[in-house]
Amino acid sequence: MTALLGLAGCAGAQAPTAAEQQAGEAPRVTLAAPTDEATAPESAAPETPPPVTPAPTPVAVPPAARQAVQDAYDAVQKRRWADVDRLAPLAAADPVLGLYPRYWALRNRLQNRALPVPDAEVRQFLADAAGTYLDERIRADWILAATRSGNYTQALQVPAVADSSASVRCALLLARHQSGKRARSTEVLDVFQPVADCWDLLDQVTADHILSRKELNGLLRDILETGKQGNADRMAGVVFDDAAMVQYAALMKNPRKWLESRSQPRSGVDFELAAIALSRLARGNDRPEAARFIQERWAGWMPKADLQWVWGQFGLVAALNVDPEAARWYRQSGFVPMTDYNHAWEVRAELRAAPLDWKRVGEAIRKMSARQADEPVWRYWYGRALAAQGNAEAARQYYVSIVDDQGFYGLLAAEELGRTPALPPQPDPLDPAWTAQARANPGLQRAVALFDLGWRREAVPEWNFALRGMSDAQLRGAAEFAREQHIYDRVVNTSLQTRNVTDFSQRFIAPFEGQVAAKARLIDLDPAWVYGLIRQESRFITDARSRVGASGLMQLMPATARHVARKIGMKDFKPGQVNDFDTNTILGTNYLNMVLQDLSGSELLATAGYNAGPGRPKRWRAQLLTPVEGAIFAETIPFTETRLYVKNVLSNAVYYSMLFSGQPDSLKARLGTVSPMAGTQTALP
């Protein structure tokens, strides 16, 4: 990757060494544009012949056994573990799902730190569940339980888990460290996430002096940046002693008051506490006044690198508040190492600055690590920066390097290259034998049974586990099996995993096409846009329910559904109807149309408003100083979920438009230009 980018000598986003050696400065980095040859797609591997798969023998499931599985599931939800233990032997006669109650009971014992680890029972379960998803899950739980109990030898002997969580990785590193092979600081920093088992690791390696004071300070700063107070306080307890924790608590409560009471720092701890307090001033209501206070009182006392980190925090908080001054703060941060998240927002702040300085956009991208700068989003914007500075050929090579990425920036890159937007060629028809093989796959059968019960939380990982190691043909066959079962989200997500074949009839499946399109056209909405939104909202799951309570195909909140039903005169609407297909799509398309009209007919703003509420894009628009192209507005949306949502919905819409019409469609045209406009009020929920 480094060779591809030409990023020699760059200090990574999380690697402070170079910047520290330069007293807060890092060497300049040149991103060399890749050659066309370097980005040519790999040639497709020869397809293996279709399998000869006998018709699957219907699996006979004793009704009493399946009922025992369902009763055990209900008992788990109510934490009635004695009932789960009682039902597990009855459920064992279910040849498809019979292992689940036994797994739930065993997992509960493994997670209870007050109970001894049932090693013999785990070994028997693994023998009975070999090769299944539950085999892998119980191994992960066994590793955690063994490490928590101090049986490090057993934890290290558990067969490896392919897709291990941060908890498992931390537990294994702790087990290895406690078994005599000391962890290295780089390993700890690589695996650490603020979860229980990683805190256990961190406590131990800190006691053993594995991490330096600077590394611990860096972890605290990164966690403080996330705004998660509980994690920050927990990390501060690792970094500071009791006396320093008293000061930390005071500065977190009122940083300005704390700073005004302090004199020039003397010790390393004093400097760190002061840097944290100064960074917290960015979260107040008057950043310019806080900055003046820093310059007048503290700038002469603080090391250059610490002060630059503080200005980077000012830049981040300002950018997340769509403050036009964000770029100015970031420009004072120099080349101090920052998190990937903060580097990304420095680029976004420069994109939103008025006037837009493309040279500074490029410089901000060059501060990133090679890995981060290699992402399509930053390759696109670096290409734009090169083009704006007159280096058209280098810009072209950057666009070429991402043009095959079938997403937001791949589409924009194609338009920058002057290419007519087009769909990839449809692959040869899939031999039905591959779908037959998928129907006979025990893991996929198990997942379908779970979907049929409505247990999506269990069904999705079962399905994904069964896909491991599949060829493109097998993945397409599994996607077709999902289509047969009307599990449309698995059609899309399974097809997205193919490597050398792109089947848009699966990736951009259009179930209910006539019904949804008809409802959209009744109110002059573009059906492709509606489909792009549904694909992102629910992946065509009619009974989908989000963590915040949105329901159905178009993910309507209860208050929104009631408001729209009242506005359009839908008689006798009841909240329980929101998952009904017709009701949901009528209400959803009408609400989308209301948001579109409220936001000046802009699909970009309306898409953001559908996700975040129509008042928010109005506020973001009102804070612009000058008109910006739609792609810049989309990239600088301060809510991560909404930013990704907008990009996905509008790129989806382009592909659906071309699928429905057979004609080219332009993402740039859909994005348009967003101009400053006063007013943030809306009558819509």
Side-chain angles (χ1 to χ4, degrees):
M1 184 184 301
T2 303
L4 182 65
L5 279 168
L7 282 169
C10 178
Q14 303 287 350
T17 308
E20 291 163 2
Q21 291 174 345
Q22 299 288 330
E25 297 293 327
R28 291 264 175 177
V29 178
T30 301
L31 276 78
T35 63
D36 291 357
E37 290 78 7
T39 59
E42 297 178 7
S43 57
E47 190 56 84
T48 55
V52 177
T53 306
T57 304
V59 178
V61 178
R66 179 56 57 86
Q67 187 60 52
V69 174
Q70 293 178 256
D71 291 345
Y73 181 85
D74 291 339
V76 170
Q77 310 313 308
K78 297 170 183 175
R79 306 188 68 78
R80 295 200 309 257
W81 297 108
D83 287 348
V84 179
D85 290 335
R86 175 180 57 81
L87 290 161
L90 302 174
D94 182 336
V96 181
L97 302 180
L99 279 172
Y100 264 89
R102 189 173 156 199
Y103 161 71
W104 293 326
L106 184 54
R107 182 189 61 184
N108 177 58
R109 285 194 282 280
L110 286 169
Q111 292 179 345
N112 189 335
R113 296 193 185 210
L115 297 176
V117 178
D119 295 322
E121 190 176 347
V122 171
R123 291 188 184 94
Q124 184 58 56
F125 183 89
L126 292 177
D128 296 340
T132 68
Y133 168 68
L134 296 184
D135 171 359
E136 175 145 312
R137 289 310 316 139
I138 213 69
R139 279 187 280 127
D141 290 327
W142 196 14
I143 289 169
L144 296 176
T147 303
R148 291 166 184 167
S149 70
N151 191 349
Y152 305 118
T153 301
Q154 179 60 71
L156 295 171
Q157 289 175 349
V158 176
V161 177
D163 291 330
S164 56
S165 64
S167 291
V168 170
R169 293 194 298 274
C170 285
L172 286 171
L173 185 56
L174 176 58
R176 200 196 77 194
H177 176 80
Q178 293 294 82
S179 298
K181 188 175 180 181
R182 287 169 68 85
R184 298 188 300 275
S185 62
T186 52
E187 294 176 305
V188 176
L189 296 174
D190 184 55
V191 303
F192 180 80
Q193 294 292 327
V195 294
D197 295 279
C198 291
W199 289 120
D200 291 344
L201 168 67
L202 191 65
D203 288 340
Q204 186 61 54
V205 298
T206 300
D208 293 339
H209 306 292
I210 300 299
L211 297 181
S212 68
R213 176 61 52 183
K214 186 172 286 293
E215 287 168 329
L216 289 169
N217 289 346
L219 280 175
L220 175 56
R221 290 183 179 190
D222 290 353
I223 293 175
L224 282 164
E225 187 177 283
T226 69
K228 295 182 178 178
Q229 187 69 45
N231 289 337
D233 293 347
R234 175 72 172 81
M235 187 68 221
V238 176
V239 173
F240 299 126
D241 61 20
D242 290 346
M245 278 300 293
V246 172
Q247 299 303 321
Y248 168 83
L251 73 86
M252 292 296 287
K253 183 177 181 180
N254 190 330
R256 181 64 178 261
K257 180 179 179 181
W258 185 88
L259 286 162
E260 288 176 340
S261 71
R262 309 295 291 182
S263 58
Q264 183 173 358
R266 299 295 180 187
S267 68
V269 170
D270 289 342
F271 278 111
E272 188 58 27
L273 289 167
I276 293 170
L278 293 170
S279 76
R280 303 300 289 181
L281 295 178
R283 298 170 184 263
N285 295 325
D286 192 345
R287 275 179 293 277
E289 196 282 328
R292 284 192 294 273
F293 169 73
I294 293 172
Q295 293 285 20
E296 293 169 3
R297 172 79 182 273
W298 283 87
W301 290 350
M302 298 298 293
K304 183 177 182 181
D306 286 345
L307 198 59
Q308 287 177 327
W309 175 74
V310 168
W311 295 132
Q313 296 302 301
F314 268 68
L316 176 61
V317 175
L320 292 174
N321 283 278
V322 204
D323 183 342
E325 292 295 301
R328 181 167 68 86
W329 302 127
Y330 271 124
R331 290 170 190 175
Q332 296 182 65
S333 69
F335 287 86
V336 69
M338 297 190 296
T339 62
D340 283 0
Y341 184 72
N342 209 349
H343 275 301
W345 275 107
E346 180 174 7
V347 180
R348 294 182 184 120
E350 292 293 354
L351 285 169
R352 201 173 166 104
L356 173 55
D357 186 336
W358 284 105
K359 182 180 178 182
R360 288 189 179 274
V361 171
E363 289 173 348
I365 293 171
R366 288 200 298 273
K367 294 181 186 181
M368 293 176 166
S369 68
R371 176 195 48 74
Q372 185 180 12
D374 197 41
E375 296 169 10
V377 50
W378 309 123
R379 282 189 160 275
Y380 173 78
W381 289 118
Y382 195 72
R384 290 289 305 278
L386 290 171
Q389 295 174 79
N391 196 342
E393 177 55 26
R396 188 189 73 82
Q397 291 176 11
Y398 268 89
Y399 301 145
V400 167
S401 76
I402 60 170
V403 75
D404 292 324
D405 180 72
Q406 289 160 349
F408 189 80
Y409 285 108
L411 286 169
L412 288 177
E415 293 197 52
E416 293 295 336
L417 291 166
R419 299 184 184 180
T420 301
L423 297 173
Q426 182 64 15
D428 293 336
L430 183 69
D431 191 300
W434 294 111
T435 308
Q437 185 189 68
R439 292 190 202 104
N441 183 296
L444 297 180
Q445 290 177 346
R446 194 159 40 248
V448 168
L450 292 165
F451 279 119
D452 287 344
L453 290 170
W455 300 350
R456 293 193 60 84
R457 187 175 60 182
E458 289 75 22
V460 168
E462 274 278 10
W463 181 277
N464 292 342
F465 183 84
L467 301 181
R468 292 185 184 181
M470 285 190 178
S471 67
D472 284 355
Q474 289 172 314
L475 289 167
R476 291 177 68 199
E480 287 306 315
F481 178 40
R483 192 200 302 264
E484 290 177 355
Q485 299 295 319
H486 307 293
I487 310 171
Y488 298 121
D489 66 315
R490 292 305 96 195
V491 180
V492 175
N493 289 30
T494 301
S495 186
L496 284 170
Q497 295 190 37
T498 60
R499 295 166 289 278
N500 298 307
V501 176
T502 303
D503 188 341
F504 263 45
S505 72
Q506 294 178 340
R507 294 190 181 192
F508 288 87
I509 190 173
F512 331 115
E513 181 179 350
Q515 298 159 281
V516 173
K519 291 180 176 66
R521 291 192 180 99
L522 278 174
I523 52 177
D524 295 324
L525 277 186
D526 176 10
W529 181 37
V530 175
Y531 261 91
L533 184 142
I534 293 173
R535 183 180 187 267
Q536 187 61 27
E537 280 284 2
S538 66
R539 282 288 202 264
F540 308 104
I541 305 167
T542 57
D543 61 349
R545 187 172 179 84
S546 78
R547 57 182 171 79
V548 294
S551 297
L553 205 65
M554 297 190 70
Q555 290 290 277
L556 291 167
M557 294 294 289
T560 302
R562 288 193 298 271
H563 175 89
V564 178
R566 185 172 60 252
K567 286 290 186 181
I568 66 175
M570 182 180 282
K571 304 294 184 183
D572 302 320
F573 170 73
K574 296 179 177 60
Q577 297 173 286
V578 75
N579 281 335
D580 172 74
F581 173 84
D582 284 326
T583 302
N584 189 273
T585 49
I586 289 170
L587 295 175
T589 52
N590 273 278
Y591 179 64
L592 182 59
N593 191 44
M594 292 174 184
V595 176
L596 181 66
Q597 302 312 314
D598 195 39
L599 287 160
S600 312
S602 165
E603 284 188 5
L604 166 59
L605 295 176
T607 302
Y610 193 92
N611 178 262
R616 288 193 173 97
K618 285 189 172 187
R619 180 170 68 83
W620 302 331
R621 177 179 63 184
Q623 289 174 265
L624 289 170
L625 297 180
T626 186
V628 298
E629 61 181 270
I632 289 178
F633 188 91
E635 182 53 52
T636 57
I637 289 172
F639 294 178
T640 299
E641 177 188 317
T642 304
R643 183 172 62 256
L644 298 176
Y645 177 89
V646 166
K647 294 180 189 179
N648 286 325
V649 168
L650 293 177
S651 56
N652 290 348
V654 170
Y655 285 125
Y656 276 118
S657 175
M658 293 191 288
L659 279 166
F660 294 164
S661 70
Q663 300 298 314
D665 193 55
S666 168
L667 178 56
K668 281 199 166 188
R670 286 184 181 271
L671 290 165
T673 299
V674 180
S675 297
M677 186 178 296
T680 62
Q681 298 301 308
T682 179
L684 296 175

